[in-house]
Amino acid sequence: QVQLVESGGGLVQAGGSLRLSCAASGRTFSSYVMGWFRQAPGKEREFVAVISWSGGSTYYADSVKGRFTISRDNTKNTVYLQMNSLKPEDTAVYYCAARVRGLRVGVSEYDYWGQGTQVTVSS
């Protein structure tokens, strides 16, 4: 089992950058596939990015490709989401999530979730 805590959200102007972090507890963090999702007000939670246990494979939603970068440091039990060129439509609560194996994009395919961190992009 793993517990996840996100941080790094905040208010930023359009075109700016933020880096989100997700700290995981547990000794087996390196065995988990980690994903980032987001949920805007009145909308369903959606996939943003995912990274394999080794960090060697990543996959992004088309809406963030080229602007966001997911990475992980297994020595620190932490996964990151670097967000550049932010747009107002990126405003949402961002969640990290973990699953045992396989890069997946479905919300229901992840077993563990953090509490979320708010990102607000002003125009």
Side-chain angles (χ1 to χ4, degrees):
Q1 193 165 356
V2 61
Q3 286 78 45
L4 306 172
V5 179
E6 302 94 335
S7 61
L11 174 64
V12 63
Q13 289 188 333
S17 298
L18 280 175
R19 188 176 82 156
L20 305 183
S21 299
C22 173
S25 65
R27 296 177 294 172
T28 59
F29 172 76
S30 60
S31 65
Y32 286 95
V33 170
M34 299 299 297
W36 283 98
F37 292 76
R38 66 187 181 185
Q39 187 166 17
K43 295 188 177 182
E44 294 187 352
R45 194 170 299 188
E46 64 176 7
F47 167 77
V48 174
V50 61
I51 189 166
S52 62
W53 64 270
S54 68
S57 296
T58 58
Y59 182 73
Y60 298 90
D62 288 343
S63 58
V64 307
K65 201 173 296 182
R67 300 188 298 122
F68 291 11
T69 302
I70 188 171
S71 62
R72 67 190 296 163
D73 186 339
N74 288 341
T75 66
K76 297 182 178 179
N77 281 12
T78 302
V79 62
Y80 305 97
L81 186 68
Q82 178 67 44
M83 306 186 296
N84 299 328
S85 302
L86 283 161
K87 305 175 181 180
E89 51 264 43
D90 294 318
T91 295
V93 177
Y94 282 71
Y95 299 89
C96 69
R99 58 174 281 113
V100 174
R101 63 173 61 88
L103 275 67
R104 298 290 186 270
V105 304
V107 171
S108 62
E109 296 178 290
Y110 284 75
D111 302 307
Y112 306 103
W113 292 85
Q115 84 290 347
T117 185
Q118 176 71 46
V119 171
T120 302
V121 184
S122 64
S123 57

